[in-house]
C-alpha cells in the first residue's frame, strides 16, 4: 500500500503540483482513508521526502555502477551517465519532475539530507572529468566544476521537452549531447 500511495502521489504532484495536491486527493484517487495514509506517512512532506530520497538514491546507485566499470574509458562513462539521465525520463519522468520542481517544498531539515546527495552526484561527474583530464582523454585546462554543471543543466532540463517515445531515442540524444560536450573537451 505504501508503494501505491507513493506512485499515485508522484502522478498527482506531477500533474497538479505538491501544494495543490491534498492528502484527501491522494487517498480519494486510490480509494483508501486518511488513516491509511497516516499509517505510512506522518505528513505530506514526509511523503515528498520519501519520493526525493528514492529518486536520488537510485540515481547515485546507477551512477556508482557506471563509474565502477573499469573496462570503460572516461568518455564511455560520460556517455553512459548522460544516457542514464535521459533514459530515466522514460522510467521515472514524473519522479524527476517532482524532484526538481518540488524541492522548494521541503523543510531545511529534509534539504540537509537531499542536497549532499545531489551534490555528490555532481561531484562524481567532476571527478570523472578530472580523471579524463589526467588520462589524456579531455583537455587539461578544463574547469571541471563548470563542465559538470553544464552536463547536468543539459540533461536535467531534458525532462521538460524530451519524449522517450518520440522519433529519437534516449541513446541518440545521449550521443548528441555527449558529442556536443566532448567536441569542446576532447583532445
Amino acid at each position: 500500500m505504501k508503494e501505491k500511495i507513493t506512485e499515485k502521489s508522484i502522478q498527482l504532484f506531477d500533474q497538479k503540483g505538491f501544494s495543490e495536491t491534498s492528502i484527501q486527493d491522494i487517498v480519494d484517487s486510490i480509494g483508501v482513508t486518511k488513516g491509511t495514509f497516516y499509517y505510512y506517512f506522518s505528513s505530506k512532506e514526509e511523503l515528498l521526502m520519501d519520493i526525493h530520497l528514492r529518486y536520488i538514491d537510485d540515481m547515485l546507485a546507477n551512477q556508482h555502477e557506471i563509474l565502477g566499470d573499469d573496462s570503460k574509458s572516461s568518455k564511455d562513462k560520460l556517455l553512459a551517465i548522460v544516457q542514464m539521465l535521459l533514459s530515466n525520463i522514460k522510467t521515472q519522468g514524473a519522479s524527476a519532475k517532482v524532484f526538481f520542481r518540488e524541492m522548494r517544498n521541503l523543510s531545511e531539515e529534509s534539504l540537509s539530507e537531499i542536497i549532499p546527495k545531489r551534490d555528490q552526484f555532481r561531484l562524481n561527474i567532476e571527478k570523472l572529468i578530472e580523471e579524463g583530464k589526467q588520462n589524456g582523454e579531455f583537455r587539461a585546462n578544463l574547469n571541471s566544476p563548470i563542465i559538470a554543471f553544464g552536463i547536468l543543466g543539459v540533461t536535467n532540463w531534458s525532462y521538460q521537452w524530451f519524449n522517450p517515445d518520440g522519433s529519437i531515442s534516449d541513446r541518440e540524444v545521449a550521443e548528441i549531447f555527449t558529442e556536443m560536450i566532448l567536441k569542446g573537451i576532447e583532445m
Side-chain angles (χ1 to χ4, degrees):
M1 181 55 67
K2 182 177 182 179
E3 186 63 27
K4 192 173 185 179
I5 292 169
T6 301
E7 287 305 315
K8 192 56 171 178
S9 297
I10 290 168
Q11 291 173 9
L12 290 170
F13 294 165
D14 176 30
Q15 294 165 1
K16 296 174 63 172
F18 175 79
S19 298
E20 292 76 19
T21 303
S22 69
I23 292 173
Q24 193 65 54
D25 292 334
I26 295 166
V27 298
D28 285 349
S29 71
I30 55 177
V32 299
T33 65
K34 282 187 179 180
T36 303
F37 178 91
Y38 286 115
Y39 178 80
Y40 295 102
F41 301 101
S42 64
S43 67
K44 198 168 71 162
E45 190 200 342
E46 181 186 342
L47 168 62
L48 183 62
M49 178 63 171
D50 191 65
I51 293 167
H52 274 74
L53 283 173
R54 186 171 66 162
Y55 180 79
I56 193 65
D57 287 344
D58 183 55
M59 297 297 286
L60 282 166
N62 290 334
Q63 185 190 53
H64 181 72
E65 186 177 323
I66 292 166
L67 294 173
D69 186 349
D70 294 332
S71 69
K72 289 185 178 182
S73 66
S74 297
K75 180 179 176 179
D76 290 338
K77 289 177 184 180
L78 182 62
L79 174 62
I81 288 171
V82 170
Q83 183 175 359
M84 181 261 297
L85 289 164
L86 290 168
S87 66
N88 185 270
I89 292 170
K90 184 171 191 168
T91 60
Q92 295 189 50
S95 291
K97 288 179 187 176
V98 170
F99 182 84
F100 293 115
R101 191 180 64 207
E102 303 298 347
M103 192 174 288
R104 67 183 184 272
N105 289 300
L106 292 172
S107 68
E108 289 300 319
E109 182 181 340
S110 294
L111 286 172
S112 70
E113 190 173 347
I114 296 294
I115 290 175
K117 291 176 183 235
R118 186 190 64 187
D119 290 348
Q120 187 59 56
F121 192 90
R122 175 183 45 83
L123 292 170
N124 290 342
I125 294 174
E126 282 183 34
K127 183 179 177 191
L128 176 60
I129 300 297
E130 285 297 318
E131 288 171 6
K133 288 165 51 174
Q134 290 171 5
N135 68 25
E137 287 184 71
F138 306 143
R139 282 198 333 255
N141 66 341
L142 292 174
N143 183 321
S144 298
I146 298 298
I147 299 295
F149 277 120
I151 291 166
L152 290 171
V154 165
T155 54
N156 289 346
W157 190 251
S158 298
Y159 79 87
Q160 290 283 0
W161 59 266
F162 176 60
N163 177 2
D165 297 320
S167 62
I168 187 165
S169 72
D170 56 339
R171 174 70 183 197
E172 291 170 303
V173 174
E175 288 172 351
I176 291 167
F177 280 176
T178 303
E179 180 181 353
M180 179 182 69
I181 294 162
L182 289 176
K183 291 301 179 191
I185 64 177
E186 206 172 35
M187 290 297 286

